Amino acid sequence: MLVAAREMTRRRDAERRLGHAAMHDPLTGLANRVLVRERAEWMLGTRGRGVAVLLLDLDRFKLVNDSYGHGLGDELLVLAAQRAERLSPRGGTVGRLGGDEFVIVVPDTSRARTEELARAVVEAFDEPFVLHDEEFTVGCSLGVVHSGDRAQNWDELLRLADVAMYRAKAAGGACFRWFEEGLGDTARQRLQLAADLRRAAGSDELGVAYQPEVDLRTGQAIAVEALMRWSTPTRGNVPPCEFIPVAEETGLIVGLGRWIMHDAVVAVAEHNRRTSSDVRMWVNVSARQLTGPDVAAGIVELLRELDVPTRWLGIEVTESVLADDERVLPTLVALRDAGIGVAVDDFGTGYSSFARLRDYPVTLLKIDRAFVQGLADPSPEAAERAAHIVRAVVAVGRALGADVVAEGVEDVELLRHVRTLGCDLAQGYVFGRPGTLAGAMSADGHAGQASGHEAPAGVR
Ligand code: C2E
Ligand code: MG
Ligand code: MG
């Protein structure tokens, strides 16, 4: 009997341990997502003044983690967890939702008390953490929501807290924000998009599609453009024209830009080495990515670390980037001098003055697809005007010593046309939709053949 009893105790302990492991975060010992949900749902089901949710995200954790290593990062998370637990009132639950994101859920509490708590949390996280005799001040952003705010179930509460936390981040961090009932629908949608995008960063929701640029003299794909793609289970494919502006507005573009440049450069280097080619990868870059300190040096350093020659990279900027910010010019000059390509994207749609253009270190002009597609306008006068514009841009390109590429070339007819008008390169659906790098690189002057169309005459 004694043996049987011991056996039972042991099994019970093992089960308890297992249950504990399934419900807790192994690093910090806090409740995990599953347990937080279970407890929160229980709290929501009981009567009282309502449930408060404080969603907490460390502001500079990534910086510490990247510069001091994951070991120290982990230690910091453990301290952060302890701090959050000390702050949580009796009856509250503290959980780790993943990464550097924590949540405090408090039952039966008022808005006033919640606000007090939020303030205390922000203050407490403004105090440095001491690790190995060094001080680390990371700070935190808090999104705060109360179950009286409209949301009734846990998922909805967490979503609203996320939007609120996002507002705290956007306000510069080290602060809390309530979810705001009165936020207009569009503002809400944008914030939600930004919150989702922030979450998607670093996940496989984000990807890169490649589109070739074909040399019209040889018919060879000699360059390729990297285009960001975002697809989520709930939103489907979100077009760049929707999410890039949000990323720019919120500063997320800086991290995303770094990521796509890294991946695109690694991909093209692998391709070039494997096939002994000399293809250049063009990456779109926003103003915000170019105005920081030492941007050019950072890019050159990245290439050096990856052992990639500078001629395999080019950056594309729009005219507005050139026009808006004086600080961009020295960066572009440094990039060009280092051997990196500099393209003016969507040329003709912005406000470059010729005087300005002369100062810019442009190696490639990309004629906006509106002009290119204007060549096929049913009205002969409109088509003729478009042809004049394309010819003029080609002349500008010549004067600047830059190549000229026609964007948005959708069919063989247009391809023939832009070639006649003197464009050096063409890019567009005629060579296939943006896709894998291998697919992009197999495109050549035989555009249209694969889909059974006539091969473009005179391209080779
Ligand atoms: P863009 O740099 O001018 O890129 C060309 C856009 O035209 C791409 O749209 C491409 O898919 C589309 N396109 C290519 N060929 C054709 C064609 O024959 N016909 C038509 N109708 N369209 C064609 P996408 O991928 O939707 O990107 C839109 C814009 O988003 C880009 O315009 C670029 O400004 C921006 N973008 C994309 N990826 C990034 C990125 O990684 N960073 C930044 N900062 N911006 C990006
Ligand atoms: Mg582009
Ligand atoms: Mg373009």
Side-chain angles (χ1 to χ4, degrees), residues 211 225-229 240-241 244 248 253 260 284-286 289 316 345-346 369 373 407-410 427-430 434:
Q211 189 178 38
E225 177 173 5
L227 296 160
M228 212 181 285
R229 291 291 176 263
C241 59
I244 295 282
E248 287 175 340
I253 194 69
I260 194 172
N284 293 285
V285 173
S286 305
Q289 295 171 258
E316 297 193 359
D345 207 350
D346 308 337
R369 69 162 178 264
Q373 292 174 353
E407 290 193 83
V409 178
E410 289 186 356
Q427 182 179 0
Y429 294 166
V430 68

Side-chain angles (χ1 to χ4, degrees), residues 42-50 107-108:
W42 181 83
M43 290 177 198
L44 285 167
T46 61
R47 287 157 58 102
R49 286 167 295 175
D108 187 23

